Amino acid sequence: MEGSTEERVVAQVLQPWLSGRGVWLTPVALKTRKAAGQPHHRGGVSKWSRIEAEIRALLRNSAVDRVTTLLDFYGLPSDTPGRRGVPSGDAYARVSHVEKAVAEVVDDARFLPFIVLHETEAWVLAAARELAELLDAPKLGIELESQVRAAGGPELVNDGPDTAPSKRLLTAYPGYRKVVDGPDAIELLGLDALRAVCPHLDHWLDRLMTSG
């Protein structure tokens, strides 16, 4: 898991929903950046080797039933397995290609990689109406819903440096607080409604509940 936003999404949305279905998550934030003489900072994926090292450290614990990831496809390190040879075109085929390559490298039956298309903020776009309600900004919901429709769904909103979900949210509402407003909007929408419009997320949750 990358950082504070993901931690809140897990705590507010994923954990309650999954625990009601017999799956318990213990979130572990990645420590991937370290300034000289300073402690590690959570979040900000920099190199695949560091991510892999943390995954393998978790898998060395024989008491762990499964290990999964919550990483954004947008900003994923270029040296991530499968990233350089990722096929063009369909976003679902691209992210599945990388997840498969990552699983093959780690090579542990307990490991279930999940890479978000294209950021966790895509889930906030799915909750555009809820976000607009929380921020008391009706026009924001209309604008964001229009962008989602144009893309073909929240998971298909692209990952350009100026057009990724997080960038669109800040452009549409400069006062947007990603660590608070996003998770709150997703929680208000509800995970069942989110799954209905995010097939890749839906597939991961199905596998998480049935694997092991």
Side-chain angles (χ1 to χ4, degrees):
M1 184 173 61
E2 289 192 51
S4 299
T5 302
E6 288 78 9
E7 276 190 294
R8 286 190 64 127
V9 170
V10 169
Q12 293 180 215
V13 183
L14 295 176
Q15 276 185 328
W17 191 91
L18 285 167
S19 63
R21 291 157 178 80
V23 177
W24 287 266
L25 294 177
T26 301
V28 178
L30 288 169
K31 294 176 287 190
T32 54
R33 288 180 182 167
K34 183 180 180 182
Q38 298 296 321
H40 282 288
H41 296 284
R42 293 178 299 174
V45 182
S46 56
K47 293 182 179 179
W48 163 252
S49 60
R50 294 180 179 178
I51 300 172
E52 182 180 5
E54 294 206 36
I55 291 170
R56 292 192 184 280
L58 291 170
L59 289 168
R60 282 196 291 272
N61 184 346
S62 60
V64 170
D65 292 325
R66 279 164 288 178
V67 172
T68 189
T69 57
L70 186 59
L71 302 170
D72 292 343
F73 194 68
Y74 175 60
L76 200 64
S78 61
D79 62 341
T80 301
R83 193 72 166 96
R84 291 180 180 174
V86 69
S88 59
D90 182 75
Y92 295 109
R94 294 171 68 219
V95 74
S96 294
H97 172 84
V98 175
E99 288 175 342
K100 181 180 178 181
V102 166
E104 289 175 350
V105 166
V106 174
D107 192 25
D108 190 303
R110 294 173 297 155
F111 179 53
L112 176 61
F114 174 60
I115 301 172
V116 183
L117 273 175
H118 286 92
E119 298 182 280
T120 51
E121 280 77 18
W123 302 348
V124 183
L125 294 183
R129 292 186 185 182
E130 289 72 19
L131 180 65
E133 179 182 335
L134 287 170
L135 299 177
D136 193 21
K139 291 183 179 179
L140 175 64
I142 295 170
E143 179 179 348
L144 295 178
E145 284 185 329
S146 175
Q147 293 183 28
V148 169
R149 282 195 302 272
E155 290 183 322
L156 299 179
V157 173
N158 63 29
D159 57 350
D162 299 314
T163 55
S166 59
K167 309 300 183 183
R168 291 173 186 258
L169 286 163
L170 285 171
T171 298
Y173 194 89
Y176 173 71
R177 301 168 299 167
K178 64 177 293 183
V179 178
V180 177
D181 298 331
D184 285 353
I186 296 169
E187 182 181 18
L188 190 59
L189 173 65
L191 193 52
D192 288 321
L194 184 63
R195 293 180 71 189
V197 294
C198 294
H200 189 59
L201 167 66
D202 182 53
H203 179 62
W204 171 60
L205 289 171
D206 275 342
R207 292 184 65 198
L208 198 58
M209 289 186 290
T210 58
S211 63

